[in-house]
Amino acid sequence: MNVSGGEVGDGILTIQAENEGLDSELHLTINGGDIRITSGDDGINTNEDGVSVTTINGGTLTVNVTGGMAGEGDGIDSNGSITMTGGTVFVSGPVSGGDGAIDFETDMTMTGGSILALSSRGMMEYP
């Protein structure tokens, strides 16, 4: 799944979901745009164990995890790795102690961009 933000990279995508916001079996690449996600579970979920890659190359990504009916959810969750080369990421949540604002299985590489994660509960993994 690729999200580019339109021809000039300034498109707006707003997602309100009871479960996952952006959900991809394998890979997700964000190249630009203004992406606003409010989700009851994971804001972004790439879920193929040890294989999935979430890549953020640019844009502004705002994720608000509300916990939904199950009361859980990660901000950005990759069952593989996360790569960030640019852009700005704001994550609010999670709401339960077993979840994280940023959650990955193998590794996270960050060579550019910025992340601000706000959570009163949960854990945080660092690049």
Side-chain angles (χ1 to χ4, degrees):
M1 179 186 308
N2 295 309
V3 180
S4 349
E7 289 184 27
V8 293
D10 62 355
I12 297 172
L13 174 62
T14 301
I15 298 170
Q16 292 196 330
E18 291 181 24
N19 202 10
E20 272 87 16
L22 281 175
D23 190 18
S24 175
E25 294 298 319
L26 287 174
H27 308 300
L28 170 66
T29 301
I30 297 171
N31 291 313
D34 182 355
I35 302 163
R36 305 166 189 178
I37 301 170
T38 301
S39 64
D41 198 342
D42 300 334
I44 291 179
N45 186 29
T46 51
N47 56 30
E48 186 66 31
D49 288 347
V51 176
S52 294
V53 179
T54 299
T55 303
I56 303 167
N57 295 318
T60 301
L61 177 60
T62 305
V63 178
N64 180 25
V65 178
T66 63
M69 293 181 66
E72 60 185 35
D74 298 306
I76 299 174
D77 183 5
S78 176
N79 288 358
S81 63
I82 299 172
T83 300
M84 185 167 178
T85 64
T88 304
V89 175
F90 301 99
V91 178
S92 176
V95 295
S96 70
D99 295 304
I102 308 290
D103 182 18
F104 49 89
E105 184 176 320
T106 55
D107 61 7
M108 179 172 180
T109 303
M110 186 173 175
T111 58
S114 350
I115 296 175
L116 175 62
L118 303 171
S119 176
S120 60
R121 307 187 76 178
M123 51 105 182
M124 175 71 173
E125 294 181 305
Y126 297 95

